Amino acid sequence: AVVISNSGQHVVTASRDGSIKRFDVKGDKAVLGATAKAHRFGVAGMVCHHQGEFMLSYGSQDARITVWDIESLLDVVTFTLPAETVILQVAFSLDGKFVISADAGSSLRLWNIEAAKQVLERRIPTTEVHSLIDFSPDGKYIATVADGASDVALWDAQMGFKFQGNLTAHTQGIIATGFAADSRFMASVSLDLTMQLWVLHTRQPAGVFLFEHIPTRVSFSG
């Protein structure tokens, strides 16, 4: 995993041994500036804060989320989930005051950075493990897909993870989702060799694209 700070002056990389390294960009060179041990069993992902020189990392097996000051590479706060929780996705809220996490145990959690604690948990009403979790860029929507499911569940993250409805059009399992930069649209690709484009505020399909081969990822330009 790699993230670039908002200033463009730092690049942070993560390793399988659980360490993270900050490289300082100086001209056309990147010089190692600091190293820190982030997680015990490898870093699953990293996300930059919307503003300022902050980022977060989450572990692949240690059930921990840590917010870091990129300049010093010192931890600001660490959130610990129940043991053996598999974290699927983590993001900062739009206002930057909270962290949202989703895990394979079908829980969405809201963490207050300043208070250093969990303030809300929403159990998704299903016994199935969720294989896909995606957050819209504006922090409003969360899309979840149960393992092997052909529909997308849409949640409102700003209203206590209120369920907004299912996006249903595919005939086989969904393998990737992606939000547009303005959070007005979402796309989903499936084993049925189609990509569906969705209008989020109406939860209706806006178009369908056909493929000859199974796609593996989807993203919007810009």
Side-chain angles (χ1 to χ4, degrees):
V2 177
V3 296
I4 301 173
S5 65
N6 291 305
S7 68
Q9 297 179 353
H10 308 291
V11 177
V12 182
T13 64
S15 303
R16 291 182 179 179
D17 64 2
S19 66
I20 57 175
K21 296 179 180 179
R22 190 200 72 223
F23 293 87
D24 303 325
V25 179
K26 298 181 179 180
D28 58 353
K29 297 181 179 180
V31 180
L32 179 62
T35 301
K37 182 68 174 179
H39 300 280
R40 287 180 294 171
F41 304 108
V43 179
M46 300 188 297
V47 180
C48 262
H49 196 280
H50 305 297
Q51 301 174 349
E53 298 296 277
F54 295 94
M55 55 164 273
L56 61 78
S57 66
Y58 57 101
S60 57
Q61 299 180 48
D62 66 356
R64 294 169 61 221
I65 303 165
T66 300
V67 177
W68 302 87
D69 180 304
I70 297 178
E71 291 275 1
S72 63
L73 208 62
L74 295 176
D75 57 306
V76 176
V77 63
T78 295
F79 303 117
T80 302
L81 285 75
E84 299 183 4
T85 299
V86 177
I87 302 171
L88 296 179
Q89 185 71 281
V90 181
F92 285 105
S93 62
L94 183 61
D95 59 14
K97 296 180 180 179
F98 299 90
V99 169
I100 305 168
S101 69
D103 60 63
S106 299
S107 286
L108 301 175
R109 304 173 195 265
L110 188 66
W111 309 84
N112 185 300
I113 296 174
E114 184 176 356
K117 66 178 182 180
Q118 178 182 311
V119 294
L120 181 66
E121 179 181 1
R122 173 64 184 266
R123 293 280 298 178
I124 300 174
T126 179
T127 58
E128 298 176 301
V129 174
H130 279 76
S131 58
L132 293 175
I133 304 285
D134 204 2
F135 296 90
S136 65
D138 65 0
K140 181 177 181 180
Y141 295 107
I142 298 175
T144 65
V145 179
D147 190 26
S150 59
D151 56 357
V152 181
L154 196 65
W155 310 81
D156 192 323
Q158 297 177 347
M159 297 179 63
F161 303 131
K162 182 178 180 181
F163 179 59
Q164 297 295 296
N166 288 316
L167 308 181
T168 304
H170 292 292
T171 59
Q172 295 186 47
I174 295 171
I175 54 179
T177 59
F179 285 94
D182 60 6
S183 300
R184 294 173 55 200
F185 299 95
M186 195 191 90
S188 57
V189 295
S190 165
L191 293 172
D192 63 10
L193 300 179
T194 67
M195 179 181 74
Q196 293 284 344
L197 184 66
W198 305 92
V199 180
L200 289 178
H201 78 277
T202 63
R203 300 188 298 280
Q204 295 298 314
V208 59
F209 302 85
L210 305 179
F211 298 94
E212 293 183 359
H213 304 285
I214 297 174
T216 57
R217 297 184 65 182
V218 60
S219 62
F220 288 82
S221 63

